[in-house]
Amino acid sequence: MYDADDLYNDEEEYSGPSRSQKKRDMTALQNMAEKLMTLGPELVKKCGLPDYFIEEVLDAMAIKSHEAKRRKTQYIGKLIREVDPQPLIDFLEDIETGNKADNMKFHALEQWRTRLIEGDFSVLDEILEQHPQADRQRISQLARNARKEKEKSKPPKSARALFKTLRELSE
């Protein structure tokens, strides 16, 4: 009948990616397409991909129907297979890390402002270490005014000015 050696011939064994791996890869490409569709049109145009690809992404952004958007996402994932996906991966990572860095910088400025308004002027030394061009007198004056406004429940005009001054220093 059948010989076991005939059924398991090593020479005919397939060494390519498994079907599951292909599906995982395709899902990853579709996820990249979805991320790309959440960006604004200006950012999509800067991704460095061919014009026909950018047009498809912009068309997909205008689609409202869930099922139509899903099909378009699959199609864009297929288009990504045809081009080198590495520039797109790098582009999306740059955007993501840029946003994280901006958020961390923003939170650090908020903490400085809060500490100054609360009367912790030791933070002023930290600010002057990092930014020697800073005007110590102006920052401390804005912090005092912001504390007075807070105590009197007035609009935070000085607190906003203090934050703006700190932001200008960090840029």
Side-chain angles (χ1 to χ4, degrees):
M1 198 111 185
Y2 293 107
D3 188 16
D5 292 334
D6 291 337
L7 292 174
Y8 301 106
N9 192 347
D10 289 338
E11 296 172 11
E12 296 177 17
E13 189 175 307
Y14 178 69
S15 62
S18 67
R19 186 182 317 169
S20 298
Q21 183 60 43
K22 288 180 183 178
K23 287 180 182 179
R24 283 190 295 268
D25 292 344
M26 195 58 208
T27 303
L29 293 176
Q30 289 174 12
N31 289 340
M32 284 186 359
E34 287 176 2
K35 285 182 184 177
L36 198 58
M37 289 170 20
T38 61
L39 303 175
E42 294 79 28
L43 281 176
V44 171
K45 291 176 184 175
K46 293 179 184 178
C47 72
L49 291 170
D51 290 338
Y52 69 90
F53 182 84
I54 293 171
E55 288 176 23
E56 292 295 336
V57 173
L58 294 175
D59 289 343
M61 292 168 81
I63 295 174
K64 301 293 181 205
S65 169
H66 175 72
E67 184 61 22
K69 189 169 263 206
R70 185 191 65 80
R71 285 192 309 268
K72 192 69 163 184
T73 303
Q74 287 180 333
Y75 178 66
I76 293 171
K78 181 180 174 185
L79 288 178
I80 295 173
R81 280 189 289 173
E82 296 173 3
V83 297
D84 182 23
Q86 193 58 44
L88 182 59
I89 293 169
D90 295 340
F91 176 74
L92 291 172
E93 285 178 356
D94 286 345
I95 289 173
E96 193 170 303
T97 56
N99 289 343
K100 287 180 183 176
D102 289 344
N103 286 342
M104 288 175 52
K105 185 174 152 184
F106 181 80
H107 289 303
L109 292 175
E110 282 183 329
Q111 288 175 350
W112 278 353
R113 177 183 65 180
T114 303
R115 288 173 58 191
L116 284 169
I117 292 173
E118 290 173 353
D120 181 10
F121 285 98
S122 64
V123 74
L124 194 55
D125 295 330
E126 291 177 37
I127 295 170
L128 290 171
E129 280 180 27
Q130 292 182 19
H131 309 285
Q133 76 277 12
D135 185 2
R136 179 184 201 107
Q137 187 176 3
R138 169 118 173 100
I139 293 172
S140 58
Q141 179 186 9
L142 287 172
R144 280 193 304 273
N145 292 345
R147 190 173 338 108
K148 288 178 185 175
E149 289 172 353
K150 186 177 180 180
E151 290 170 358
K152 295 180 181 180
S153 300
K154 290 187 174 183
K157 181 180 176 184
S158 295
R160 289 185 189 125
L162 177 61
F163 185 80
K164 184 178 177 185
T165 303
L166 294 174
R167 189 179 66 218
E168 287 171 355
L169 283 175
S170 67
E171 294 173 354

